[in-house]
């Protein structure tokens, strides 16, 4: 459901209001791991990375959420749906191009994958440049900026 909500190139009959429903704890932790990749700029080709103090704070916060109960993880992810969507976009672009050749072939058959790929990479670097260069990790602010960028895609 998270992938379905995140990829603009898929035909959508409906959006899922709660893409994390179903209670699968592994899916919740996977989403938290995907947040690591974008927020810390871990993917190849990332131009901008957060400053060290902010990276440390992000890692501590995400680890705290990873070790919390499933209900708390679910509530946290529901508070930041646009941030999750932005992170999943970057995850799909990077992971499919590196490790999933058949899925990449499918995405290439869809409308404008090269434009989408470069747009996604630029949006995520813009996000890291604008939001992750000062010393405060405010999830509300991160969600707000991600919401503005996700609308573009």
């Amino acid at each position: 459901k998270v992938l379905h909500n995140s990829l603009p190139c898929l035909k959508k009959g409906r959006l899922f209001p709660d893409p994390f429903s179903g209670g699968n704890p592994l899916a919740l932790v996977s989403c938290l791991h995907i947040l690591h990749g974008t927020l810390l700029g871990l993917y190849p080709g990332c131009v901008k990375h957060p400053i060290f103090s902010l990276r440390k704070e992000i890692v501590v916060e995400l680890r705290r959420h990873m070790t919390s109960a499933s209900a708390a993880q679910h509530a946290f992810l529901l508070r930041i749906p646009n941030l999750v969507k932005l992170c999943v976009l970057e995850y799909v672009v990077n992971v499919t191009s590196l490790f999933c050749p058949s899925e990449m072939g499918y995405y290439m058959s869809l409308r404008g994958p090269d434009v989408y790929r470069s747009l996604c990479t630029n949006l995520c670097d813009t996000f890291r440049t604008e939001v992750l260069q000062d010393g405060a990790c405010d999830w509300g602010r991160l969600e707000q900026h991600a919401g503005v960028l996700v609308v573009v895609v």
Side-chain angles (χ1 to χ4, degrees):
K1 292 179 186 178
V2 174
L3 280 175
H4 180 83
N5 278 359
S6 297
L7 297 177
C9 55
L10 296 178
K11 291 182 180 177
K12 298 178 181 160
R14 64 183 181 166
L15 289 176
F16 298 100
D18 180 2
F20 311 107
S21 64
N24 184 351
L26 191 57
L28 296 174
V29 172
S30 297
C31 285
L32 292 170
H33 280 291
I34 289 171
L35 288 172
H36 268 116
T38 296
L39 294 177
L40 299 177
L42 300 178
Y43 298 112
C46 289
V47 177
K48 199 66 175 169
H49 305 282
I51 58 174
F52 179 75
S53 61
L54 189 55
R55 276 186 290 180
K56 183 176 74 170
E57 191 175 342
I58 288 169
V59 168
V60 167
E61 280 291 310
L62 288 176
R63 291 289 176 197
R64 185 175 61 81
H65 288 295
M66 281 183 198
T67 57
S68 63
S70 292
Q73 292 172 354
H74 185 250
F76 172 68
L77 290 171
L78 282 178
R79 284 197 317 263
I80 55 169
N82 292 314
L83 183 59
V84 170
K85 191 180 285 189
L86 183 70
C87 294
V88 169
L89 288 171
E90 188 173 35
Y91 172 80
V92 168
V93 164
N94 285 287
V95 170
T96 54
S97 63
L98 293 172
F99 303 110
C100 307
S102 59
E103 287 83 353
M104 190 61 189
Y106 169 71
Y107 293 138
M108 295 301 276
S109 71
L110 298 173
R111 158 186 73 119
D114 289 332
V115 173
Y116 168 73
R117 197 163 145 194
S118 65
L119 177 66
C120 180
T121 303
N122 289 335
L123 283 176
C124 291
D125 277 333
T126 300
F127 177 77
R128 284 186 286 272
T129 301
E130 291 179 355
V131 185
L132 298 173
Q133 297 306 310
D134 59 5
C137 178
D138 177 18
W139 293 105
R141 187 173 63 97
L142 295 176
E143 169 65 15
Q144 181 182 18
H145 283 280
V148 170
L149 295 174
V150 166
V151 171
V152 173
V153 179

